[in-house]
């Protein structure tokens, strides 16, 4: 496992279906959810400011905005509920 690839394929498969779709939304389609989620995990695990995210996760603003969106639309709540139910 590399320093920035944080989720195994099995872990990602458990939450992938809970990710929101950008189909039918105005603007650009979402960037790959997996790299964004891994950027969010990396940021919290490393305890760094958003601006210090490594570039391979994409622009830090994109990662921050997606985290904020997932917090507001209930995506994180759905993920936590599913993982808790599976535990």
């Amino acid at each position: 496992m590399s320093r920035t690839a944080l989720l195994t394929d099995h872990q990602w498969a458990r939450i992938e279906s809970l990710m929101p779709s950008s189909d039918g939304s105005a603007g650009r389609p979402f960037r790959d959810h997996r790299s964004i989620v891994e950027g969010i995990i990396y940021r919290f695990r490393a305890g760094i400011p958003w601006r210090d995210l490594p570039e391979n996760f994409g622009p830090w603003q994109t990662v921050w905005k997606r985290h904020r969106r997932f917090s507001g639309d209930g995506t994180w709540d759905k993920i936590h509920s599913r993982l808790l139910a599976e535990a």
Side-chain angles (χ1 to χ4, degrees):
M1 177 179 279
S2 76
R3 193 170 67 100
T4 56
L6 304 169
L7 296 172
T8 64
D9 290 339
H10 176 70
Q11 290 169 327
W12 176 247
R14 291 172 66 191
I15 65 170
E16 184 177 19
S17 64
L18 301 173
M19 294 291 127
S21 172
S22 61
D23 294 342
S25 300
R28 284 190 202 165
F30 284 147
R31 178 186 166 104
D32 174 46
H33 280 307
R34 185 172 181 165
S35 65
I36 297 295
V37 171
E38 287 184 338
I40 294 167
I41 293 168
Y42 183 90
R43 188 261 175 182
F44 282 104
R45 185 177 285 176
I48 59 174
W50 290 106
R51 292 178 186 257
D52 292 342
L53 271 176
E55 292 180 11
N56 60 310
F57 295 118
W60 70 267
Q61 297 94 332
T62 302
V63 180
W64 175 79
K65 285 177 189 175
R66 194 77 57 85
H67 172 63
R68 187 166 181 216
R69 170 176 271 165
F70 288 173
S71 296
D73 70 6
T75 300
W76 291 133
D77 294 333
K78 289 179 209 169
I79 291 171
H80 290 140
S81 294
R82 171 164 300 167
L83 295 177
L84 186 60
E86 291 178 6

